[in-house]
Amino acid sequence: MKTTKKVLLTADRPSGNLHIGHYAGSLANRVRLQATGEFEMFIMIADLQALTDHAQDVQKVTTSVEQLMLDYLAVGLDPQKIHFVLQSAIPALYELPMFYANLVTQARLERNPTVKNEIKTKGYRREVPVGFVNYPISQAADITAFGASLVPVGADQAPMLEQTREIVATFNRLYGETLVMPEALIPEQARGRLVGIDGAGKMSKSLGNCIYLKDSAEELKRKINSMYTDPNHIKVSDPGKVEGNVVFMYLDAFYENKKHLAELKAQYRQGGLGDMVLKKLLFECLDGILAPMRERRAYYEQHMDEVRGYLRAGTKRAREVTDATLAAVKHAMGIYQL
Ligand code: TRP
């Protein structure tokens, strides 16, 4: 089967459960993209990339693979429309970086803002694993192997796409027009990542401030009730602050009736609107999104063979596409053929 449609690729590292920040930032967008039918869509579970900072905890990566599949299927990504791919099962993704590594300098890798930032936050300094510094090259292999022209990613991934584009340009200049030049698709609402329920930082597992897609209604209720609002809004009649108020930030992200939301904000600022009323509204809103996900997850948890089958089928299709790219790369470079 040859591709005629443009290819869209995106990927996630398997290292834990997805939360509603992931949903707002990218999963909902993927559900929309699959409905257009414009692209051949691949979603890859990037277990090789996860190993670049989890070499001591392979088990965590491995057990997260099926969890990630369940998250994908739970949000409504459709295996009839999307190929789900396991990165470690695709040989071309190991082979291409060997060629690309010769086209990139060490200085350029170390200058990559995403890598630089991650090295700093992880406190790596010189102890950074080579595989980690190298992951932009591996990611360039991912993107080019699929011939992806569109890569939906968060804003933090823009430098990765930039570096991939440089590799593509260099390769095509040296060896002839071979690789597809990819483009990042970064969500317009440069809202950045959703804050955690404590309002202290971004939603992240290590901070323990996440609402997970798999949370039960009870967990959701408990988390919303503990949510940071305005500490000076004590009596219902007190005027309250909307800015920095997590309940409003989530309503901004998820509540569709924007007109009603604007009225609520005005009323809250003025005084006379209690937190409990807002939290109840937010619960209804989020539970309305999560309830169908729980239902789909419950089905797939009982049908894991089906889940693994989707991953196997998508990976098979991915092999066809990526093997063809690898062959084209070797041919363009004039690598000795046995
Ligand atoms: N670096 C991406 C992330 O951390 C994951 C990823 C790996 C990726 N390979 C990719 C994203 C290829 C897009 C295309 O989220």
Side-chain angles (χ1 to χ4, degrees):
M1 187 163 94
K2 211 172 147 29
T3 331
T4 42
K5 286 185 187 178
K6 285 193 167 188
V7 173
L8 186 149
L9 169 74
T10 188
D12 304 280
R13 297 180 182 194
S15 58
N17 296 305
L18 299 184
H19 52 63
I20 61 168
H22 294 119
Y23 184 71
S26 101
L27 295 167
N29 194 35
R30 296 182 201 179
V31 174
R32 273 193 297 274
L33 282 164
Q34 80 178 353
T36 68
E38 251 179 83
F39 302 94
E40 179 167 18
M41 254 174 104
F42 293 91
I43 296 184
M44 187 164 73
I45 298 180
D47 57 341
L48 292 178
Q49 192 173 106
L51 287 176
T52 64
D53 62 349
H54 281 85
Q56 277 79 3
D57 201 359
V58 179
Q59 191 62 23
K60 182 175 171 197
V61 174
T62 304
T63 54
S64 298
V65 169
E66 289 184 358
Q67 290 307 314
L68 192 50
M69 273 304 284
L70 286 172
D71 275 329
Y72 287 155
L73 295 167
V75 299
L77 292 171
D78 180 352
Q80 308 307 326
K81 299 195 174 117
I82 291 175
H83 308 293
F84 296 106
V85 180
L86 182 64
Q87 187 184 29
S88 61
I90 308 291
L93 303 184
Y94 301 74
E95 299 185 42
L96 290 170
M98 198 71 188
F99 298 125
Y100 297 172
N102 302 324
L103 309 179
V104 180
T105 66
Q106 183 74 17
R108 175 63 182 91
L109 278 179
E110 288 172 3
R111 231 184 318 119
N112 183 307
T114 308
V115 174
K116 218 166 142 177
N117 199 21
E118 284 172 319
I119 288 177
K120 207 163 89 197
T121 55
K122 287 174 202 290
Y124 273 146
R125 296 170 186 279
R126 294 301 292 172
E127 282 67 49
V128 59
V130 170
F132 190 84
V133 187
N134 214 39
Y135 95 71
I137 295 177
S138 161
Q139 192 159 328
D142 297 344
I143 294 167
T144 54
F146 286 88
S149 51
L150 207 59
V151 186
V153 283
D156 66 310
Q157 292 289 305
M160 294 295 156
L161 263 292
E162 210 36 58
Q163 184 137 27
T164 300
R165 290 170 58 87
E166 282 174 33
I167 291 171
V168 169
T170 307
F171 189 100
N172 288 348
R173 177 170 51 74
L174 282 176
Y175 307 119
E177 205 61 36
T178 311
L179 302 174
V180 176
M181 185 61 80
E183 202 121 4
L185 179 67
I186 294 171
E188 310 150 20
Q189 337 93 302
R191 231 193 273 117
R193 265 168 64 191
L194 206 64
V195 294
I197 56 172
D198 54 2
K202 299 294 174 194
M203 190 171 280
S204 95
K205 205 172 355 151
S206 52
L207 296 175
N209 60 6
C210 303
I211 293 174
Y212 292 103
L213 300 179
K214 63 184 290 193
D215 279 353
S216 66
E218 292 70 37
E219 281 167 306
L220 178 64
K221 192 166 282 168
R222 185 176 56 71
K223 287 179 181 177
I224 291 177
N225 285 336
S226 74
M227 219 170 241
Y228 180 88
T229 56
D230 171 3
N232 297 317
H233 183 242
I234 296 161
K235 283 184 290 178
V236 170
S237 56
D238 289 340
K241 248 179 93 176
V242 167
E243 290 68 31
N245 186 322
V246 178
V247 176
F248 277 111
M249 287 192 227
Y250 284 27
L251 286 171
D252 272 331
F254 297 103
Y255 188 52
E256 305 220 329
N257 190 340
K258 298 300 177 204
K259 186 165 161 277
H260 185 218
L261 182 54
E263 290 163 9
L264 290 171
K265 285 181 182 174
Q267 200 187 346
Y268 193 80
R269 286 196 175 100
Q270 207 175 38
L273 181 57
D275 282 358
M276 284 325 291
V277 175
L278 286 173
K279 286 182 169 180
K280 187 160 175 291
L281 177 69
L282 180 60
F283 173 77
E284 279 159 16
C285 166
L286 289 181
D287 200 54
I289 296 170
L290 297 190
M293 293 186 193
R294 278 182 220 120
E295 232 168 83
R296 280 191 290 260
R297 183 188 306 270
Y299 168 83
Y300 285 114
E301 278 173 344
Q302 297 306 313
H303 297 82
M304 286 308 293
D305 281 348
E306 193 181 327
V307 174
R308 281 185 286 268
Y310 293 138
L311 187 55
R312 213 173 292 121
T315 301
K316 185 161 174 272
R317 170 65 183 147
R319 276 214 198 194
E320 290 173 7
V321 176
T322 56
D323 281 347
T325 303
L326 180 65
V329 158
K330 286 186 173 178
H331 178 80
M333 292 178 71
I335 298 295
Y336 192 96
Q337 305 280 329
L338 272 182

